[in-house]
Amino acid sequence: MSDNLKRYLAIKQALRQLYPKEPQGRLAQALTVLAMFINGIVASKSTHTRQVAKKTPVAAKVTSREKQLSRWYQNERVTYELHMLPFVKTLLAALAEHTLTVVLDGSEVGRQCVCLMVSVIYQKRAIPLLWVVVSGCKGHFPAETHVEVLTRLQKLLPEAASVVVLGDGEFDSVALQTFLAQAGWDYVCRTAKNTQVCLDGDWLSLADIAVWPGMRLLLEQVRFTAQAYGPLQIVIWWGQGHHEPISLITNLELAEEACHWYRRRMRIETFFADQKSRGFQLHKSHLADPQRLARLLIAACLAYIWIIYLGTLCRQQGWHKVIHRTDRCDLSLCQLGLDLLDYFENEGKRIPVDFKPYRPPSSSKSVR
C-alpha cells in the first residue's frame, strides 16, 4: 500500500471518529472527499485544487479528481456545522477547564477576499475555531461582524468558561467592548496612539502622554473616545527592542497581566503564515467566491490542526531528537509535524492522525 493511500485512509478514519455515530449516506460521501482534500493539502503543501488532486489516491484522471474536489466546496450542503463543528466542540471541551485565550485577526485569502478568524491559543499556536470570509482586499470588518462571530463562539462554550479575548487595533470598538463586558470575558486589544480619552476629568490624546523605552504605564478609570465608554484601563507599553510604544485597552486591573496576555496575540500571525507562504499557500488557491473559500478553509484548517498535533507529539515523545537535532529544536510545531510525517512514512511506521489536542499518556516514555 502506498504512503499516499495509507495517509488518506488514516485521515478518513480519524474524521469518522469525530462523530458519535458512524456517518452514513451523503455525510459519509462528503467526509470521503474531505479526507481526500486534507490528504492532498498536506502532501502537496498547497490548497490549489489541481495540486491537491494530483495527490489524491483515486483511480481516475487528475482532471476527474479535480472536478470531484471542486464539487465539494461548491456544494451548499458542505457546512461548518456539519464538518468543522464536531472538532471545535471536542477541542473546547478539552481546553475549557483552563482560561481560553481567544484571538481575533483578519487576513487576505484566495483571490480578493478577506477572512476574519477566531482562534484559541494552544501549545503556542493559534487553533482556528470560527471564521467569516467576504469579498474585498485589505480592510477592517465592521464591529457588528466581530460581535456576531463571538456570539457564535459564546454559544459553544460552557457558561462558566473563563475567556481572554485579544486583538489588534481593528478590535477596539465600543460595541465589541460592550459585548465582552456583558459576556463576562476579559480582553486586551490595541488602540491607536491618537485615541482621545478622558482621564481625571481631562480629555487628551494618548499620543500626548510621554513614555520612554522599557516603560509600562497604566492609566486607570479611563473614559474611552467621544462615547466616553468605561471606565476601563489603558496600558501604554514601550517594550524593549520596539521602535515605539503601543497602547492597549483592557478591563484587567494590572498592566503586567494585560501585557502577559497580549504577547500571545502574535501567535495567530504564525497560523496565517503556516496557512499561506510557509505552508499550504492559501493565498494562491485562485478561489474568489467567499462561500467556496469558507468551505475550503474547513479542509485547510483541519489539515493544519492535524500537523500541529503531530508537531506536539514530536516534542512530547522526543521524536525531534531523531528527525532534527539532539541539543536543541528550533523548528516550529508545523514544520516538526510535517517532518515527523515524512519520517514515519519513510520508515514504514503507522501514521497517527487525530484532530484533538495531543495529551501524552501518564505512562508514556520519550524516544531514546
Side-chain angles (χ1 to χ4, degrees):
M1 185 185 298
S2 69
D3 289 339
N4 203 27
L5 181 57
K6 287 194 294 184
R7 189 191 318 113
Y8 159 72
L9 292 175
I11 294 169
K12 185 176 179 180
Q13 180 60 28
L15 286 175
R16 289 174 175 269
Q17 292 175 352
L18 292 175
Y19 296 81
K21 295 182 180 180
E22 180 69 16
Q24 303 292 332
R26 288 177 176 172
L27 176 58
Q29 294 174 1
L31 288 180
T32 295
V33 182
L34 178 56
M36 291 164 55
F37 241 125
I38 295 172
N39 177 73
I41 287 172
V42 171
S44 67
K45 297 180 178 60
S46 173
T47 51
H48 189 282
T49 310
R50 184 164 182 81
Q51 299 305 317
V52 173
K54 290 179 180 179
K55 297 295 184 177
T56 300
V58 176
K61 292 182 178 180
V62 172
T63 52
S64 298
R65 294 181 239 162
E66 190 176 0
K67 289 179 181 178
Q68 186 178 15
L69 293 170
S70 62
R71 283 195 296 267
W72 183 85
Y73 58 66
Q74 293 170 14
N75 189 348
E76 294 183 355
R77 294 191 183 94
V78 174
T79 64
Y80 169 92
E81 288 73 18
L82 195 59
H83 299 294
M84 188 71 186
L85 189 56
F87 157 75
V88 172
K89 286 183 175 179
T90 301
L91 175 69
L92 292 177
L95 300 184
E97 60 189 52
H98 304 291
T99 297
L100 295 171
T101 308
V102 174
V103 185
L104 297 167
D105 202 9
S107 182
E108 295 181 74
V109 293
R111 181 179 294 170
Q112 295 185 333
C113 288
V114 288
C115 171
L116 172 63
M117 180 67 68
V118 180
S119 304
V120 63
I121 302 301
Y122 169 72
Q123 290 288 339
K124 298 183 179 181
R125 272 296 185 270
I127 304 300
L129 298 176
L130 297 160
W131 54 85
V132 175
V133 181
V134 300
S135 298
C137 298
K138 288 184 178 180
H140 291 176
F141 284 80
E144 292 78 8
T145 305
H146 302 159
V147 172
E148 176 188 346
V149 72
L150 286 181
T151 300
R152 290 167 56 193
L153 175 63
Q154 185 181 31
K155 294 177 180 179
L156 301 178
L157 297 177
E159 290 186 9
S162 175
V163 179
V164 177
V165 176
L166 310 177
D168 62 14
E170 178 183 347
F171 305 98
D172 66 346
S173 69
V174 169
L176 180 58
Q177 292 182 75
T178 301
F179 167 82
L180 296 172
Q182 292 172 349
W185 295 353
D186 293 323
Y187 65 89
V188 186
C189 295
R190 189 169 177 173
T191 193
K193 61 183 179 181
N194 61 350
T195 298
Q196 298 292 314
V197 299
C198 183
L199 179 63
D200 297 330
D202 296 324
W203 285 93
L204 70 157
S205 170
L206 293 178
D208 296 333
I209 299 175
V211 293
W212 52 87
M215 184 175 179
R216 188 161 47 195
L217 177 65
L218 175 65
L219 308 178
E220 300 180 277
Q221 299 296 300
V222 173
R223 293 288 173 175
F224 183 71
T225 70
Q227 295 174 265
Y229 178 80
L232 51 82
Q233 280 64 253
I234 292 181
V235 179
I236 304 179
W237 179 23
W238 196 333
Q240 294 289 350
H242 293 267
H243 298 298
E244 60 181 0
I246 62 173
S247 300
L248 306 175
I249 56 172
T250 182
N251 58 353
L252 297 170
E253 294 182 357
L254 301 177
E256 294 81 0
E257 186 178 10
C259 295
H260 163 78
W261 289 110
Y262 191 74
R263 286 189 183 97
R264 302 187 178 193
R265 194 204 72 79
M266 300 305 171
R267 289 167 186 167
I268 198 171
E269 304 291 346
T270 60
F271 164 76
F272 281 120
D274 289 337
Q275 283 286 5
K276 294 163 75 172
S277 58
R278 287 200 313 234
F280 302 148
Q281 309 298 318
L282 186 61
H283 57 308
K284 296 181 180 179
S285 67
H286 291 190
L287 294 184
D289 181 270
Q291 295 304 315
R292 294 179 182 180
L293 270 168
R295 296 185 190 109
L296 177 62
L297 271 167
I298 295 173
C301 288
L302 286 173
Y304 171 80
I305 289 160
W306 171 40
I307 296 303
I308 292 301
Y309 166 84
L310 287 178
T312 308
L313 180 148
C314 184
R315 283 186 177 173
Q316 294 288 342
Q317 295 191 355
W319 285 105
H320 61 281
K321 298 178 182 179
V322 177
I323 66 173
H324 184 43
R325 356 178 0 152
T326 58
D327 56 339
R328 73 172 192 271
C329 180
D330 49 15
L331 297 179
S332 69
L333 278 181
C334 187
Q335 189 59 59
L336 276 175
L338 290 170
D339 288 356
L340 183 63
L341 177 60
D342 284 343
Y343 175 78
F344 283 166
E345 291 178 344
N346 292 336
E347 295 296 319
K349 296 182 179 294
R350 184 184 69 86
I351 301 173
V353 180
D354 208 330
F355 301 100
K356 299 188 293 293
Y358 173 76
R359 292 191 173 186
S362 58
S363 60
S364 65
K365 297 182 179 179
S366 299
V367 175
R368 296 184 182 274

